[in-house]
Amino acid sequence: MNPDAAHLWKAPRWALAILLAVLGMLGPFSIDTYLPAFAAISKSLHATPVQMQQTLSAYLFGFAFMNLFHGALSDSFGRRPVILWGLVVFTLASVGCALSQTVGQLIFFRALQGLSCGAGVVVSRAVVRDMFLPSEAQKVMSQITIFFGVAPAVAPIIGGVIAEYLDWHSIFWFLVGLGLVLWLANWRLLPETLHAQDRQPFLMRNLMRGYWQLLSDPRFMLLALASGVPFNGLFLYVLSAPAFLGEILQLKPTQFFWFFVLSITGIMTGSWLSGRMAGKVRPKNQIMRGFRIMLGVSAINVVANALLAPHAGWSLLPIAVFSLGWALMVPVVTLLVLDLYPARRGMASSLQAVVGSTANGIVAGVVAPLVMHSALGLAVMSTTFMAVGLLAWLWLRRRWPTMGE
């Protein structure tokens, strides 16, 4: 923690949480806002379904690749410059997307969006730990989780409205405006939170030593899996929303909002409970409570879809409860990742994001197209993602029983 933290931010804690949370929302917004306009973009640019999928995959893998460096750069040059320059490149890339005349151009600028967008997502986590002690950091991280989890649900709604009443170009102009607003807000408000004596030399040997230190530590890899993979149990349903809601549940587009409302409610409730438990419940116990909720509701979801015909009256509720369990545990796991090596919090946040975003890319490009037309397939794959995270956490606790005490 920065010893001067009390002087760097004198406004209420929630105000900094909102500023950092909106930075974290930029990644999900960039992924999901244009999804409702896939058909319109394909028709306008004469793009095949494979090429349209590449516009998504290019973003996700660009995001995953550059996440290797955002945190390391912030450990060397400071949090503020990396965030501000990342927002500049993101805004210019969004302009390129809006002006694209071919699908090749759109794929290029989407990749550039992905390369730049992770700066805010990754570095904002390190800022939290720079500024707050563990129990306070958990409360702030819980508030950030609310917005991070809400973004994938809200973004397609906003994108759908823009595509319906304007055109697909306007979706990217919306992202241009969002990038500009965020740059101005962070330029005016965000302090430099990395203390001068904590900066790491930007030398290749030092960077490689840091990457090896983290990647060779099984505790880090298990925590990254426990925090990054279970989110895809929810993200899978978000990506599959048009098929799941429209084809399987036979909902009209005007009724899709029920899915997002229930998911958001689950995330907000879980994040609120996580903040309330900070300093009162041991981290290991809180993490297991979240996993138990996800495990129980996932089992019910699989059995129900195996025995019953899917129906909106019950099919959406397990997703909402799953969201609650995820939001309850993920702020705590994230803080455990950041505290493994305090001198390399930025790098740790980067590598944690790489694990999550790589999983997101695989889900978007491979898993979702395979199972989106089957309610049972969606339930089983959602359970599988949760199980990967749970097994990682249980293995970690068995090898290092004091972790999370």
Side-chain angles (χ1 to χ4, degrees), residues 34 41 44-45 90-102 105-107 109-110 113 167-177:
Y34 87 126
I41 297 174
S44 173
L45 300 182
F90 171 81
T91 304
L92 293 175
S94 299
V95 171
C97 290
L99 297 176
S100 293
Q101 299 299 310
T102 67
Q105 293 174 359
L106 182 60
I107 291 171
F109 286 114
R110 284 289 290 167
Q113 272 188 327
D167 56 27
W168 69 266
H169 301 277
S170 301
I171 293 174
F172 292 106
W173 288 118
F174 166 76
L175 293 177
V176 171

mmCIF file of all heavy atoms in Angstrom, residues 34 41 44-45 90-102 105-107 109-110 113 167-177:
data_model
loop_
_atom_site.group_PDB
_atom_site.id
_atom_site.type_symbol
_atom_site.label_atom_id
_atom_site.label_comp_id
_atom_site.label_asym_id
_atom_site.label_seq_id
_atom_site.Cartn_x
_atom_site.Cartn_y
_atom_site.Cartn_z
ATOM 1 N N TYR A 34 -21.342 -4.399 -29.677
ATOM 2 C CA TYR A 34 -21.605 -4.532 -31.118
ATOM 3 C C TYR A 34 -22.216 -5.883 -31.502
ATOM 4 O O TYR A 34 -22.549 -6.105 -32.661
ATOM 5 C CB TYR A 34 -20.332 -4.234 -31.906
ATOM 6 C CG TYR A 34 -19.398 -5.409 -32.141
ATOM 7 C CD1 TYR A 34 -18.992 -5.733 -33.426
ATOM 8 C CD2 TYR A 34 -18.913 -6.183 -31.091
ATOM 9 C CE1 TYR A 34 -18.119 -6.790 -33.665
ATOM 10 C CE2 TYR A 34 -18.047 -7.230 -31.307
ATOM 11 C CZ TYR A 34 -17.646 -7.534 -32.600
ATOM 12 O OH TYR A 34 -16.783 -8.577 -32.828
ATOM 13 N N ILE A 41 -23.683 -5.590 -39.693
ATOM 14 C CA ILE A 41 -22.292 -5.387 -40.107
ATOM 15 C C ILE A 41 -21.934 -6.369 -41.219
ATOM 16 O O ILE A 41 -21.296 -6.006 -42.214
ATOM 17 C CB ILE A 41 -21.340 -5.562 -38.901
ATOM 18 C CG1 ILE A 41 -21.618 -4.515 -37.830
ATOM 19 C CG2 ILE A 41 -19.880 -5.454 -39.358
ATOM 20 C CD1 ILE A 41 -20.821 -4.713 -36.551
ATOM 21 N N SER A 44 -23.508 -5.160 -44.421
ATOM 22 C CA SER A 44 -22.908 -3.918 -44.903
ATOM 23 C C SER A 44 -21.518 -4.144 -45.485
ATOM 24 O O SER A 44 -21.165 -3.555 -46.520
ATOM 25 C CB SER A 44 -22.839 -2.905 -43.761
ATOM 26 O OG SER A 44 -22.125 -1.752 -44.137
ATOM 27 N N LEU A 45 -20.713 -4.998 -44.841
ATOM 28 C CA LEU A 45 -19.331 -5.199 -45.274
ATOM 29 C C LEU A 45 -19.152 -6.461 -46.115
ATOM 30 O O LEU A 45 -18.019 -6.817 -46.453
ATOM 31 C CB LEU A 45 -18.410 -5.276 -44.046
ATOM 32 C CG LEU A 45 -18.378 -4.038 -43.131
ATOM 33 C CD1 LEU A 45 -17.391 -4.238 -41.987
ATOM 34 C CD2 LEU A 45 -18.022 -2.788 -43.917
ATOM 35 N N PHE A 90 -7.227 3.351 -27.490
ATOM 36 C CA PHE A 90 -8.560 2.754 -27.610
ATOM 37 C C PHE A 90 -9.519 3.683 -28.366
ATOM 38 O O PHE A 90 -10.275 3.239 -29.237
ATOM 39 C CB PHE A 90 -9.136 2.457 -26.222
ATOM 40 C CG PHE A 90 -10.581 2.048 -26.247
ATOM 41 C CD1 PHE A 90 -10.941 0.743 -26.552
ATOM 42 C CD2 PHE A 90 -11.597 2.968 -25.998
ATOM 43 C CE1 PHE A 90 -12.278 0.367 -26.605
ATOM 44 C CE2 PHE A 90 -12.929 2.600 -26.041
ATOM 45 C CZ PHE A 90 -13.276 1.295 -26.342
ATOM 46 N N THR A 91 -9.480 4.962 -28.042
ATOM 47 C CA THR A 91 -10.377 5.921 -28.695
ATOM 48 C C THR A 91 -10.081 6.032 -30.184
ATOM 49 O O THR A 91 -10.994 6.045 -31.020
ATOM 50 C CB THR A 91 -10.255 7.303 -28.018
ATOM 51 O OG1 THR A 91 -10.522 7.160 -26.616
ATOM 52 C CG2 THR A 91 -11.239 8.293 -28.615
ATOM 53 N N LEU A 92 -8.798 6.089 -30.545
ATOM 54 C CA LEU A 92 -8.429 6.159 -31.960
ATOM 55 C C LEU A 92 -8.812 4.875 -32.695
ATOM 56 O O LEU A 92 -9.275 4.919 -33.842
ATOM 57 C CB LEU A 92 -6.928 6.412 -32.089
ATOM 58 C CG LEU A 92 -6.433 7.786 -31.598
ATOM 59 C CD1 LEU A 92 -4.906 7.857 -31.664
ATOM 60 C CD2 LEU A 92 -7.061 8.912 -32.412
ATOM 61 N N ALA A 93 -8.645 3.725 -32.031
ATOM 62 C CA ALA A 93 -9.039 2.456 -32.648
ATOM 63 C C ALA A 93 -10.548 2.402 -32.865
ATOM 64 O O ALA A 93 -11.024 1.859 -33.878
ATOM 65 C CB ALA A 93 -8.589 1.287 -31.767
ATOM 66 N N SER A 94 -11.315 2.957 -31.940
ATOM 67 C CA SER A 94 -12.776 2.990 -32.089
ATOM 68 C C SER A 94 -13.181 3.861 -33.273
ATOM 69 O O SER A 94 -14.142 3.546 -33.985
ATOM 70 C CB SER A 94 -13.421 3.507 -30.795
ATOM 71 O OG SER A 94 -13.124 2.657 -29.706
ATOM 72 N N VAL A 95 -12.444 4.962 -33.490
ATOM 73 C CA VAL A 95 -12.687 5.801 -34.681
ATOM 74 C C VAL A 95 -12.447 4.962 -35.937
ATOM 75 O O VAL A 95 -13.236 5.002 -36.898
ATOM 76 C CB VAL A 95 -11.770 7.045 -34.675
ATOM 77 C CG1 VAL A 95 -11.877 7.791 -36.004
ATOM 78 C CG2 VAL A 95 -12.130 7.980 -33.524
ATOM 79 N N GLY A 96 -11.353 4.179 -35.932
ATOM 80 C CA GLY A 96 -11.063 3.324 -37.077
ATOM 81 C C GLY A 96 -12.156 2.303 -37.329
ATOM 82 O O GLY A 96 -12.535 2.056 -38.481
ATOM 83 N N CYS A 97 -12.710 1.719 -36.261
ATOM 84 C CA CYS A 97 -13.815 0.760 -36.411
ATOM 85 C C CYS A 97 -15.033 1.435 -37.034
ATOM 86 O O CYS A 97 -15.687 0.876 -37.918
ATOM 87 C CB CYS A 97 -14.186 0.168 -35.055
ATOM 88 S SG CYS A 97 -12.966 -0.954 -34.353
ATOM 89 N N ALA A 98 -15.345 2.638 -36.557
ATOM 90 C CA ALA A 98 -16.526 3.354 -37.048
ATOM 91 C C ALA A 98 -16.403 3.706 -38.524
ATOM 92 O O ALA A 98 -17.405 3.771 -39.244
ATOM 93 C CB ALA A 98 -16.746 4.620 -36.216
ATOM 94 N N LEU A 99 -15.167 3.940 -38.988
ATOM 95 C CA LEU A 99 -14.943 4.365 -40.372
ATOM 96 C C LEU A 99 -14.583 3.207 -41.298
ATOM 97 O O LEU A 99 -14.359 3.418 -42.493
ATOM 98 C CB LEU A 99 -13.823 5.407 -40.421
ATOM 99 C CG LEU A 99 -14.097 6.722 -39.670
ATOM 100 C CD1 LEU A 99 -12.871 7.621 -39.731
ATOM 101 C CD2 LEU A 99 -15.310 7.442 -40.255
ATOM 102 N N SER A 100 -14.545 1.980 -40.781
ATOM 103 C CA SER A 100 -14.120 0.829 -41.584
ATOM 104 C C SER A 100 -15.054 0.602 -42.771
ATOM 105 O O SER A 100 -16.277 0.632 -42.641
ATOM 106 C CB SER A 100 -14.087 -0.433 -40.719
ATOM 107 O OG SER A 100 -13.079 -0.341 -39.747
ATOM 108 N N GLN A 101 -14.433 0.341 -43.929
ATOM 109 C CA GLN A 101 -15.190 0.092 -45.158
ATOM 110 C C GLN A 101 -15.114 -1.368 -45.600
ATOM 111 O O GLN A 101 -15.853 -1.781 -46.485
ATOM 112 C CB GLN A 101 -14.645 0.985 -46.284
ATOM 113 C CG GLN A 101 -14.763 2.477 -46.002
ATOM 114 C CD GLN A 101 -16.219 2.906 -45.820
ATOM 115 O OE1 GLN A 101 -17.072 2.583 -46.655
ATOM 116 N NE2 GLN A 101 -16.502 3.623 -44.741
ATOM 117 N N THR A 102 -14.211 -2.127 -44.996
ATOM 118 C CA THR A 102 -14.093 -3.559 -45.307
ATOM 119 C C THR A 102 -13.986 -4.333 -43.994
ATOM 120 O O THR A 102 -13.616 -3.772 -42.953
ATOM 121 C CB THR A 102 -12.841 -3.854 -46.156
ATOM 122 O OG1 THR A 102 -11.664 -3.592 -45.368
ATOM 123 C CG2 THR A 102 -12.819 -2.992 -47.414
ATOM 124 N N GLN A 105 -10.445 -4.202 -42.510
ATOM 125 C CA GLN A 105 -10.167 -3.006 -41.716
ATOM 126 C C GLN A 105 -10.787 -3.122 -40.329
ATOM 127 O O GLN A 105 -10.163 -2.766 -39.326
ATOM 128 C CB GLN A 105 -10.710 -1.766 -42.432
ATOM 129 C CG GLN A 105 -9.995 -1.428 -43.726
ATOM 130 C CD GLN A 105 -10.673 -0.288 -44.473
ATOM 131 O OE1 GLN A 105 -11.693 0.254 -44.034
ATOM 132 N NE2 GLN A 105 -10.127 0.073 -45.627
ATOM 133 N N LEU A 106 -12.011 -3.623 -40.261
ATOM 134 C CA LEU A 106 -12.685 -3.756 -38.968
ATOM 135 C C LEU A 106 -11.927 -4.734 -38.070
ATOM 136 O O LEU A 106 -11.750 -4.467 -36.866
ATOM 137 C CB LEU A 106 -14.123 -4.241 -39.174
ATOM 138 C CG LEU A 106 -14.967 -4.380 -37.894
ATOM 139 C CD1 LEU A 106 -15.095 -3.048 -37.176
ATOM 140 C CD2 LEU A 106 -16.352 -4.938 -38.226
ATOM 141 N N ILE A 107 -11.462 -5.856 -38.625
ATOM 142 C CA ILE A 107 -10.703 -6.822 -37.831
ATOM 143 C C ILE A 107 -9.428 -6.185 -37.287
ATOM 144 O O ILE A 107 -9.064 -6.357 -36.115
ATOM 145 C CB ILE A 107 -10.365 -8.072 -38.674
ATOM 146 C CG1 ILE A 107 -11.642 -8.867 -38.971
ATOM 147 C CG2 ILE A 107 -9.335 -8.955 -37.961
ATOM 148 C CD1 ILE A 107 -11.435 -9.992 -39.970
ATOM 149 N N PHE A 109 -8.760 -2.927 -36.668
ATOM 150 C CA PHE A 109 -9.021 -1.944 -35.612
ATOM 151 C C PHE A 109 -9.625 -2.588 -34.365
ATOM 152 O O PHE A 109 -9.426 -2.095 -33.251
ATOM 153 C CB PHE A 109 -9.919 -0.825 -36.144
ATOM 154 C CG PHE A 109 -9.215 0.123 -37.062
ATOM 155 C CD1 PHE A 109 -9.553 0.207 -38.414
ATOM 156 C CD2 PHE A 109 -8.191 0.932 -36.592
ATOM 157 C CE1 PHE A 109 -8.893 1.070 -39.265
ATOM 158 C CE2 PHE A 109 -7.517 1.810 -37.434
ATOM 159 C CZ PHE A 109 -7.871 1.877 -38.771
ATOM 160 N N ARG A 110 -10.341 -3.698 -34.529
ATOM 161 C CA ARG A 110 -10.816 -4.426 -33.353
ATOM 162 C C ARG A 110 -9.628 -5.010 -32.581
ATOM 163 O O ARG A 110 -9.614 -5.001 -31.348
ATOM 164 C CB ARG A 110 -11.761 -5.551 -33.782
ATOM 165 C CG ARG A 110 -13.139 -5.087 -34.180
ATOM 166 C CD ARG A 110 -13.934 -4.612 -32.983
ATOM 167 N NE ARG A 110 -14.301 -5.723 -32.104
ATOM 168 C CZ ARG A 110 -14.779 -5.577 -30.886
ATOM 169 N NH1 ARG A 110 -14.913 -4.366 -30.358
ATOM 170 N NH2 ARG A 110 -15.107 -6.628 -30.163
ATOM 171 N N GLN A 113 -8.159 -2.220 -30.684
ATOM 172 C CA GLN A 113 -8.976 -1.981 -29.496
ATOM 173 C C GLN A 113 -8.600 -2.941 -28.374
ATOM 174 O O GLN A 113 -8.440 -2.539 -27.219
ATOM 175 C CB GLN A 113 -10.460 -2.158 -29.817
ATOM 176 C CG GLN A 113 -11.175 -0.927 -30.334
ATOM 177 C CD GLN A 113 -12.673 -1.170 -30.428
ATOM 178 O OE1 GLN A 113 -13.135 -2.269 -30.710
ATOM 179 N NE2 GLN A 113 -13.451 -0.137 -30.187
ATOM 180 N N ASP A 167 -27.338 3.150 -36.700
ATOM 181 C CA ASP A 167 -26.719 2.116 -37.537
ATOM 182 C C ASP A 167 -25.527 1.546 -36.786
ATOM 183 O O ASP A 167 -25.188 2.005 -35.695
ATOM 184 C CB ASP A 167 -26.294 2.667 -38.907
ATOM 185 C CG ASP A 167 -25.359 3.867 -38.778
ATOM 186 O OD1 ASP A 167 -24.645 3.958 -37.759
ATOM 187 O OD2 ASP A 167 -25.338 4.705 -39.689
ATOM 188 N N TRP A 168 -24.875 0.541 -37.372
ATOM 189 C CA TRP A 168 -23.785 -0.118 -36.648
ATOM 190 C C TRP A 168 -22.582 0.784 -36.449
ATOM 191 O O TRP A 168 -21.841 0.643 -35.466
ATOM 192 C CB TRP A 168 -23.380 -1.414 -37.338
ATOM 193 C CG TRP A 168 -22.700 -1.269 -38.676
ATOM 194 C CD1 TRP A 168 -23.277 -1.305 -39.905
ATOM 195 C CD2 TRP A 168 -21.292 -1.110 -38.904
ATOM 196 N NE1 TRP A 168 -22.335 -1.165 -40.898
ATOM 197 C CE2 TRP A 168 -21.104 -1.051 -40.305
ATOM 198 C CE3 TRP A 168 -20.182 -1.006 -38.079
ATOM 199 C CZ2 TRP A 168 -19.849 -0.884 -40.890
ATOM 200 C CZ3 TRP A 168 -18.912 -0.839 -38.650
ATOM 201 C CH2 TRP A 168 -18.764 -0.783 -40.036
ATOM 202 N N HIS A 169 -22.363 1.731 -37.370
ATOM 203 C CA HIS A 169 -21.255 2.678 -37.193
ATOM 204 C C HIS A 169 -21.427 3.463 -35.894
ATOM 205 O O HIS A 169 -20.440 3.788 -35.219
ATOM 206 C CB HIS A 169 -21.185 3.651 -38.366
ATOM 207 C CG HIS A 169 -20.997 2.995 -39.697
ATOM 208 N ND1 HIS A 169 -19.759 2.608 -40.172
ATOM 209 C CD2 HIS A 169 -21.894 2.647 -40.655
ATOM 210 C CE1 HIS A 169 -19.905 2.067 -41.365
ATOM 211 N NE2 HIS A 169 -21.186 2.077 -41.686
ATOM 212 N N SER A 170 -22.665 3.773 -35.543
ATOM 213 C CA SER A 170 -22.934 4.586 -34.355
ATOM 214 C C SER A 170 -22.530 3.871 -33.067
ATOM 215 O O SER A 170 -22.236 4.525 -32.059
ATOM 216 C CB SER A 170 -24.426 4.950 -34.295
ATOM 217 O OG SER A 170 -24.817 5.662 -35.450
ATOM 218 N N ILE A 171 -22.520 2.539 -33.083
ATOM 219 C CA ILE A 171 -22.073 1.797 -31.897
ATOM 220 C C ILE A 171 -20.612 2.125 -31.595
ATOM 221 O O ILE A 171 -20.234 2.366 -30.440
ATOM 222 C CB ILE A 171 -22.253 0.289 -32.113
ATOM 223 C CG1 ILE A 171 -23.746 -0.050 -32.204
ATOM 224 C CG2 ILE A 171 -21.569 -0.511 -31.010
ATOM 225 C CD1 ILE A 171 -24.030 -1.494 -32.553
ATOM 226 N N PHE A 172 -19.797 2.179 -32.631
ATOM 227 C CA PHE A 172 -18.384 2.476 -32.412
ATOM 228 C C PHE A 172 -18.169 3.962 -32.119
ATOM 229 O O PHE A 172 -17.240 4.315 -31.382
ATOM 230 C CB PHE A 172 -17.562 2.018 -33.616
ATOM 231 C CG PHE A 172 -17.517 0.521 -33.748
ATOM 232 C CD1 PHE A 172 -18.240 -0.132 -34.737
ATOM 233 C CD2 PHE A 172 -16.782 -0.242 -32.854
ATOM 234 C CE1 PHE A 172 -18.208 -1.514 -34.844
ATOM 235 C CE2 PHE A 172 -16.746 -1.632 -32.960
ATOM 236 C CZ PHE A 172 -17.462 -2.265 -33.951
ATOM 237 N N TRP A 173 -19.010 4.844 -32.666
ATOM 238 C CA TRP A 173 -18.931 6.250 -32.276
ATOM 239 C C TRP A 173 -19.300 6.420 -30.807
ATOM 240 O O TRP A 173 -18.759 7.283 -30.105
ATOM 241 C CB TRP A 173 -19.819 7.130 -33.155
ATOM 242 C CG TRP A 173 -19.310 7.315 -34.556
ATOM 243 C CD1 TRP A 173 -19.917 6.947 -35.725
ATOM 244 C CD2 TRP A 173 -18.059 7.904 -34.929
ATOM 245 N NE1 TRP A 173 -19.126 7.266 -36.801
ATOM 246 C CE2 TRP A 173 -17.984 7.865 -36.351
ATOM 247 C CE3 TRP A 173 -16.999 8.462 -34.220
ATOM 248 C CZ2 TRP A 173 -16.887 8.365 -37.048
ATOM 249 C CZ3 TRP A 173 -15.899 8.949 -34.918
ATOM 250 C CH2 TRP A 173 -15.856 8.900 -36.314
ATOM 251 N N PHE A 174 -20.217 5.588 -30.331
ATOM 252 C CA PHE A 174 -20.540 5.580 -28.899
ATOM 253 C C PHE A 174 -19.301 5.210 -28.078
ATOM 254 O O PHE A 174 -19.020 5.833 -27.039
ATOM 255 C CB PHE A 174 -21.674 4.588 -28.627
ATOM 256 C CG PHE A 174 -21.868 4.246 -27.174
ATOM 257 C CD1 PHE A 174 -22.497 5.139 -26.309
ATOM 258 C CD2 PHE A 174 -21.418 3.027 -26.668
ATOM 259 C CE1 PHE A 174 -22.660 4.818 -24.965
ATOM 260 C CE2 PHE A 174 -21.587 2.701 -25.335
ATOM 261 C CZ PHE A 174 -22.208 3.601 -24.477
ATOM 262 N N LEU A 175 -18.537 4.205 -28.533
ATOM 263 C CA LEU A 175 -17.314 3.820 -27.833
ATOM 264 C C LEU A 175 -16.257 4.921 -27.911
ATOM 265 O O LEU A 175 -15.470 5.108 -26.971
ATOM 266 C CB LEU A 175 -16.763 2.517 -28.411
ATOM 267 C CG LEU A 175 -17.624 1.269 -28.176
ATOM 268 C CD1 LEU A 175 -16.999 0.057 -28.863
ATOM 269 C CD2 LEU A 175 -17.810 1.001 -26.692
ATOM 270 N N VAL A 176 -16.226 5.656 -29.022
ATOM 271 C CA VAL A 176 -15.324 6.812 -29.124
ATOM 272 C C VAL A 176 -15.666 7.829 -28.033
ATOM 273 O O VAL A 176 -14.783 8.329 -27.312
ATOM 274 C CB VAL A 176 -15.422 7.475 -30.512
ATOM 275 C CG1 VAL A 176 -14.659 8.805 -30.532
ATOM 276 C CG2 VAL A 176 -14.875 6.548 -31.589
ATOM 277 N N GLY A 177 -16.948 8.136 -27.906
ATOM 278 C CA GLY A 177 -17.374 9.082 -26.874
ATOM 279 C C GLY A 177 -17.054 8.583 -25.478
ATOM 280 O O GLY A 177 -16.599 9.345 -24.613
#
